[in-house]
Amino acid sequence: MAIRDSADPHPDIRTVLARTGAALLRSGSAGRGIALAEWVNRDNHARYDRPDHHTLSLYLAGGEGVVREDRPVSGGGPDKLCLLPAGHESRWQIGGELRLFHLYIAPETLALQAVEAFDIDPRRIDLMELTFSDDPATAMVVRGGVLPLDWADGSDRMALSSACHLLLHALLRRHTRAGAGRPVTGGLSPSVRRRVADRVEARLGEALTLDVLADEAGLSTFHFAKMFKASFGVAPHRYVVDRRIARAKSLLADGRTGLAEIATACGFASHSHFARSFKQATGATPGQWRGRAAGVPAPLTLP
């Protein structure tokens, strides 16, 4: 989902915001047809004319002075949600300073999730247009599952993709007028499960994503995540982290590989990220764990 050229008669929402003078704090991608951005804006106007993507917008700070002029509707503020379907038109007066999270979704991506996850005919999807709504569950996912991640860090890509697909799940569950389909049951077939597990082991040193593993299974990303958890008992990103920690333990116990090299071989972005993740998983730093594996007594700690 690239930002459109300024000559496009229907520029996307990111292009419009940039034109108003809004400052882009960071942006990223969470897989095919899913992009995200964090913005700050102050005291101006914006007009959206039939963008070709859906936009989920969550106010992170400020927003009390925002008015939707084409309604008119006011009442923004922290954790207020706006949902702007593709093809909509709206005009906004922005009073005061605000910070926003945006999730941009290609209609074909949402349609695929509807088919694979809920058995909904995509022609029946009628995404609601919401302004300043309350959705505590969505706000919790954004603040707890998306914002803390490093969107540019390859080792966080799977967790980021999982969190963003939870947001798509919420849109289909709570903010479409088509009823949700039957829940997905069962899991991956034994052959697909083995193939996916082998792919994980072979690429632990790389930036694994949900898209890569879903392609291996021949499933949509969201459907794959549900079926994976049914088969393995944990979400894909948790499974990958666990396998990286297991490989790190093996290399640490061997004693012949440096900590920086182990971090790289196990797919961690840096030595500090490796140390932090390893301690969170085991309660010990990599150096401490290596010492214990080698039978080196821990240093005395004075009371």
Side-chain angles (χ1 to χ4, degrees):
M1 295 176 65
I3 293 178
R4 289 178 174 269
D5 183 87
S6 59
D8 196 307
H10 304 304
D12 68 17
I13 287 178
R14 289 170 295 181
T15 304
V16 171
L17 280 174
R19 289 176 185 172
T20 69
L24 179 63
L25 297 180
R26 57 174 174 161
S27 62
S29 172
R32 290 185 296 259
I34 306 173
L36 58 163
E38 188 175 349
W39 297 89
V40 290
N41 206 351
R42 183 183 183 90
D43 295 330
N44 55 44
H45 290 76
R47 176 172 183 154
Y48 306 137
D49 292 317
R50 294 178 288 145
D52 63 0
H53 58 268
H54 309 308
T55 301
L56 183 155
S57 174
L58 185 76
Y59 287 81
L60 303 176
E64 294 86 352
V66 176
V67 177
R68 181 167 176 176
E69 295 178 320
D70 57 302
R71 293 295 172 102
V73 182
S74 59
D79 289 345
K80 291 293 185 179
L81 180 144
C82 296
L83 182 55
L84 307 174
H88 89 286
E89 298 182 8
S90 60
R91 300 190 308 277
W92 303 80
Q93 177 183 337
I94 301 163
E97 187 171 355
L98 58 84
R99 186 163 61 95
L100 282 172
F101 167 79
H102 275 177
L103 184 72
Y104 308 111
I105 309 145
E108 57 271 22
T109 297
L110 190 67
L112 183 60
Q113 302 309 312
V115 173
E116 296 288 356
F118 298 112
D119 290 332
I120 299 174
D121 184 339
R123 293 170 297 181
R124 293 179 52 223
I125 294 177
D126 184 9
L127 195 62
M128 298 177 185
E129 187 171 327
L130 304 175
T131 305
F132 306 140
S133 293
D134 292 309
D135 187 341
T138 292
M140 181 177 66
V141 172
V142 171
R143 290 189 181 273
V146 176
L147 295 181
L149 297 173
D150 184 343
W151 299 353
D153 189 338
S155 60
D156 277 348
R157 284 180 188 168
M158 186 167 289
L160 180 64
S161 182
S162 294
C164 288
H165 277 84
L166 283 178
L167 296 176
L168 265 64
H169 178 106
L171 293 186
L172 290 168
R173 277 288 191 191
R174 298 196 292 273
H175 300 311
T176 59
R177 293 185 178 88
R182 62 180 182 271
V184 176
T185 58
L188 303 171
S189 69
S191 61
V192 171
R193 175 178 169 141
R194 285 193 301 271
R195 196 164 69 240
V196 170
D198 289 344
R199 185 69 174 268
V200 170
E201 295 300 321
R203 300 186 63 172
L204 282 179
E206 303 175 24
L208 281 167
T209 66
L210 273 175
D211 285 343
V212 167
L213 298 183
D215 283 345
E216 185 68 40
L219 298 170
S220 73
T221 307
F222 187 78
H223 190 58
F224 169 75
K226 291 176 72 70
M227 300 294 277
F228 185 99
K229 188 169 184 180
S231 293
F232 288 86
V234 294
H237 70 272
R238 181 70 261 167
Y239 177 85
V240 171
V241 170
D242 289 346
R243 296 310 305 153
R244 284 178 168 149
I245 296 298
R247 176 170 292 182
K249 287 180 178 178
S250 176
L251 293 172
L252 287 167
D254 181 76
R256 292 179 295 180
T257 309
L259 297 183
E261 289 80 2
I262 292 175
T264 300
C266 296
F268 294 99
S270 65
H271 179 268
S272 61
H273 184 246
F274 167 47
R276 184 171 64 253
S277 299
F278 191 89
K279 186 170 184 180
Q280 184 178 17
T282 66
T285 67
Q288 290 169 338
W289 199 93
R290 168 169 274 173
R292 294 173 189 173
V296 177
L300 294 175
T301 301
L302 294 177

